[in-house]
Each structure stands twice: as structure tokens, then as C-alpha cells.
């Protein structure tokens, strides 16, 4: 049996979960793809940290050293920020190495350019985990777009923000306590300002825009507001009227003009996002043929994200 060789970029919440899942499900992957699956190298930043990685696997902070491993088939990328990851992925794709990434900031900045590198290298670029964690929104939209015009997507795309609002409302904890809990659970970005200032949902919306329109709007033309500053009093005031505050990201296409925004919004009972709580994300889609669809599930966290990555890998 031949072997698929994987290099893993990042060994944090997501990277370590991908690693463990591959190690513990070797035989399942072998059955699925008819080849052995081997992680041959792991890229990290801090070489001094102790990590549970089997002997014989190269652990390095040097991308040059990692990419020199002969015959890497797939790179799975889960590091933070657009750079240095984008440079690494361009090089890999141009070399014909397939890429699976969870990195929305990188894709929002470089998605179309990376697709060109993938075409040049005859490699594949997959990114289900970058939008809505374990919820299969990218695959679903790609499928729907084959025959549908999609004019409306209304979504919760940041698990941390939804979790914080839910925790404040149900357990009466402070904003700071709820954020710390989201960090402990592995939901938040390395810089949680990305979550609570709306950047994370914004990047995901830009990825959806690439998918839906083939392009992104001018970033400065998209309203972006996060949940920072929302208090228990705000939440209770809205709830007393029978509504809930949700961190919404939306895409609307009207008469050929796209309107995108990211903002906390009060939604009434019966709204498709009203019941979506905790770390769950949800994506409400209107297709002209399919009608209204809603996908919902864990939008962040180690295992749901590893699940989306490994579905792409397979
Ligand atoms: P973590 O902060 O837990 O882990 C990041 C990992 O990347 C660490 O191993 C870190 O190294 C490594 N790293 C960071 N910068 C560099 C660099 N310049 N060179 C080499 N290695 C680097 O982040 P997460 O695992 O939570 O997230 C990783 C990616 O996945 C992010 O892009 C995030 O947006 C995305 N994502 C996260 C989800 C989640 O639920 N957490 C869900 C979906 C996507 P070291 O260990 O040495 O510090
Ligand atoms: N920090 C992100 C979130 C991780 O909370 O949604 C998943 O992309």
C-alpha cells in the first residue's frame, strides 16, 4: 500500500486535533482512501514547547526545512494570520502540493491568488474549515451554485461571539469571564480582538463573497461591527421585548448590487438565527430554485474543525 504524506502547519487547538485524529483513525483513513496516511513534519513557532508528537516526525520552526521533506502530498495549514502562511501556501501549491487550510484571514486576503497558484501547480486548495468550523457551508454553497442563483445569505459566523452573548444572557457572567471561557475552550482566535471586533466574521464573509460573486467588495465599503461593549443590560433590554442579540454576517444581492455587513443585530423569535446559541454557527441561504435552507452546528473548537479539515483531506 502506498502512503499519502502530510505536512502540518501549526500545532495549536486545530493542528493538534488534526494530528490526534489522524493518529487514532489510521485504519479508517486507509479504508477510505486505499493508502496509508503519514504525517511527516510539523511546523511550529516555538521549538522549546513540549508537544505530544511521535518520534521520527520532523518538528521544526523552519518552513525551508519542512518543505525540503521529499514527496509531501498534502499540506494542512492551521497557523495564525495571513502571513507567513500565505507565502508558504503559494510555494506549496506551485510545487503541486495539495493544500487544506482553516485560515480565514489568509484566504480572505489571498484566496483568488492562491487559486491561481493551485492552477499553476495543478494542485487542489480546500478550505471548508475556514468558514463556520464544522458546518459544511462551503461544500453546500458550491453544490447549490451549480444551478441556483443565491441572493441572500444571513449567518452567524463567529462561534466565540455567539458563545459570549449566550453565556452573558444565560449564566449572567461578565463579558470578560465569557471571553476567557471561550479562550479556554479553544474557540477564540490567538488575538480575540479578531472575534469580538467582527474581523473573523468579516474574513469569512469575504470568502463567501469570493464564492458567490467571484470577487470581494472594497473592504472599506463593508460595515463591520463586533460585540465588544455589549452589556448584560443591553441583552436584557432586548430580551424583555422577546428578541435576542445575535452576531450577524449577511450578504444580499439586489438588482445586481451586493450589500455585505457584519454587525450585532436584534432578531425576533421565529427568525432563523434566534435559537442558534452557544458556539453554534448557522447559515441561512436563499437559492432561487432550492428555496430557503439553514445549516447549523459547532462553528469553532478542536474536533469540529478537524472534522471539516479531514473531510477536505479525504
Ligand atoms: P493556536 O493559536 O491554538 O495555534 C496556532 C499554531 O500555529 C501554533 O502551533 C503556533 O506555534 C503556530 N504558529 C503561529 N504562527 C506561526 C508562524 N509564524 N510560523 C509557524 N507556526 C506558527 O490557533 P488555532 O489552532 O486555534 O487556529 C489555527 C488557525 O485555524 C487560525 O488561522 C484560526 O483562525 C483557524 N481556525 C481556528 C478554529 C478554532 O476553533 N480554534 C476554527 C477554524 C479555524 P506554537 O505552538 O509554537 O505557538
Ligand atoms: N475564532 C473563530 C470563532 C474560530 O470563534 O468562530 C472558528 O473560525
Amino acid at each position: 500500500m502506498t502512503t499519502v504524506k502530510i505536512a502540518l502547519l501549526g500545532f495549536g487547538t486545530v493542528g493538534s486535533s488534526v494530528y490526534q485524529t489522524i493518529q487514532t483513525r489510521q485504519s479508517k483513513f486507509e479504508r477510505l482512501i486505499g493508502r496509508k496516511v503519514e504525517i511527516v513534519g510539523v511546523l511550529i513557532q516555538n521549538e522549546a514547547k513540549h508537544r505530544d508528537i511521535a518520534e521520527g516526525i520532523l518538528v521544526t520552526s523552519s518552513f525551508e526545512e519542512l518543505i525540503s521533506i521529499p514527496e509531501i502530498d498534502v499540506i494542512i495549514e492551521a497557523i495564525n494570520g495571513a502571513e507567513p502562511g500565505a507565502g508558504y501556501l503559494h510555494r506549496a501549491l506551485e510545487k503541486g502540493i495539495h493544500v487544506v487550510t482553516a485560515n480565514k484571514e489568509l484566504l480572505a486576503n489571498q484566496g483568488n491568488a492562491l487559486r491561481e497558484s493551485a492552477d499553476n501547480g495543478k494542485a487542489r486548495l480546500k478550505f471548508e474549515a475556514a468558514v463556520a468550523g464544522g458546518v459544511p457551508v462551503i461544500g453546500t454553497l458550491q453544490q447549490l451554485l451549480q444551478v441556483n442563483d443565491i441572493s441572500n445569505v444571513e449567518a452567524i459566523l463567529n462561534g466565540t461571539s455567539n458563545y459570549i452573548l449566550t453565556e452573558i444572557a444565560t449564566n449572567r457572567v461578565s463579558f470578560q469571564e465569557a471571553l476567557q471561557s471561550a479562550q479556554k475552550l479553544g474557540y477564540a482566535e490567538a488575538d480575540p480582538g479578531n472575534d469580538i471586533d467582527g474581523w473573523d466574521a468579516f474574513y469569512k464573509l469575504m470568502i463567501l463573497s469570493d464564492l458567490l460573486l467571484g470577487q470581494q467588495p472594497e473592504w472599506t465599503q463593508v460595515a463591520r461591527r463586533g460585540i465588544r461593549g455589549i452589556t448584560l443590560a443591553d441583552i436584557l433590554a432586548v430580551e424583555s421585548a422577546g428578541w435576542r442579540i445575535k452576531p450577524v454576517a449577511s450578504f444580499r444581492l439586489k438588482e445586481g448590487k451586493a450589500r455585505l455587513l457584519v454587525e450585532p443585530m436584534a432578531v425576533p423569535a421565529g427568525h432563523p438565527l434566534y435559537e442558534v446559541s452557544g458556539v453554534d454557527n448557522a447559515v441561512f441561504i436563499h437559492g432561487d430554485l432550492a428555496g430557503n435552507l439553514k445549516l447549523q452546528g459547532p462553528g469553532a473548537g478542536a474536533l469540529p474543525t478537524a472534522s471539516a479539515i479531514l473531510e477536505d483531506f479525504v
Side-chain angles (χ1 to χ4, degrees):
M1 197 183 270
T2 55
T3 302
V4 180
K5 291 189 182 176
I6 300 174
L8 193 52
L9 311 193
F11 201 78
T13 303
V14 175
S16 62
S17 180
V18 167
Y19 174 87
Q20 276 150 18
T21 308
I22 290 175
Q23 302 302 63
T24 53
R25 295 185 184 212
Q26 278 285 349
S27 52
K28 186 172 180 117
F29 285 115
E30 275 180 32
R31 270 201 315 279
L32 273 169
I33 63 177
R35 293 170 73 180
K36 281 191 185 304
V37 177
E38 188 188 351
I39 295 177
V40 290
V42 180
L43 184 78
I44 40 73
Q45 199 163 30
N46 177 358
E47 293 197 357
K49 256 191 221 171
H50 171 76
R51 304 169 206 265
D52 230 346
I53 298 178
E55 267 182 42
I57 296 178
L58 173 72
V59 180
T60 176
S61 60
S62 159
F63 183 72
E64 297 308 321
E65 194 180 8
L66 186 92
I67 199 77
S68 305
I69 299 174
E71 293 169 1
I72 297 171
D73 297 291
V74 181
I75 279 187
I76 294 179
E77 190 263 339
I79 63 179
N80 317 111
E83 291 294 349
Y88 299 161
L89 296 194
H90 278 296
R91 282 185 57 195
L93 289 163
E94 297 270 359
K95 239 180 130 181
I97 298 174
H98 306 293
V99 165
V100 180
T101 177
N103 189 333
K104 42 272 153 102
E105 182 171 352
L106 187 162
L107 279 166
N109 278 283
Q110 290 280 322
N112 285 334
L114 283 171
R115 278 181 270 279
E116 271 178 36
S117 290
D119 287 346
N120 293 340
K122 297 193 172 41
R124 295 186 70 184
L125 170 69
K126 304 279 281 177
F127 51 93
E128 183 64 71
V131 182
V135 184
V137 57
I138 300 295
T140 303
L141 283 174
Q142 283 169 336
Q143 184 88 356
L144 284 171
L145 280 166
Q146 297 179 99
V147 293
N148 279 263
D149 287 334
I150 294 178
S151 55
N152 186 17
V153 176
E154 196 161 21
I156 294 175
L157 295 178
N158 186 258
T160 299
S161 298
N162 203 31
Y163 174 85
I164 290 173
L165 294 179
T166 308
E167 279 296 293
I168 298 174
T170 51
N171 296 326
R172 301 285 191 266
V173 298
S174 69
F175 191 103
Q176 206 48 38
E177 283 168 326
L179 172 57
Q180 278 165 4
S181 165
Q183 288 176 302
K184 270 199 201 110
L185 290 163
Y187 302 155
E189 296 301 298
D191 172 1
N194 276 323
D195 297 293
I196 63 175
D197 292 325
W199 278 111
D200 180 77
F202 175 90
Y203 296 139
K204 291 165 175 166
L205 193 60
M206 292 305 112
I207 295 170
L208 295 186
S209 178
D210 275 339
L211 207 63
L212 294 164
L213 299 173
Q215 61 184 11
Q216 299 176 12
E218 268 303 316
W219 283 17
T220 50
Q221 300 304 307
V222 179
R224 174 192 49 81
R225 225 156 42 86
I227 64 159
R228 190 194 287 270
I230 292 180
T231 62
L232 176 62
D234 298 328
I235 291 172
L236 292 180
V238 168
E239 290 202 347
S240 68
W243 294 48
R244 283 184 184 152
I245 303 177
K246 292 289 155 195
V248 175
S250 73
F251 166 95
R252 272 213 179 87
L253 194 59
K254 207 172 166 196
E255 289 156 9
K257 228 177 148 211
R259 186 159 177 264
L260 289 80
L261 61 85
V262 172
E263 67 178 11
M265 208 178 266
V267 298
H271 185 280
L273 304 179
Y274 179 85
E275 298 281 2
V276 182
S277 59
V279 72
D280 266 11
N281 282 187
V283 186
F284 176 79
I285 303 165
H286 179 77
D288 63 336
L289 299 174
N292 293 334
L293 303 171
K294 189 171 114 177
L295 304 174
Q296 179 175 344
L303 282 175
T305 309
S307 169
I309 287 175
L310 291 168
E311 288 160 39
D312 273 350
F313 165 71
V314 167

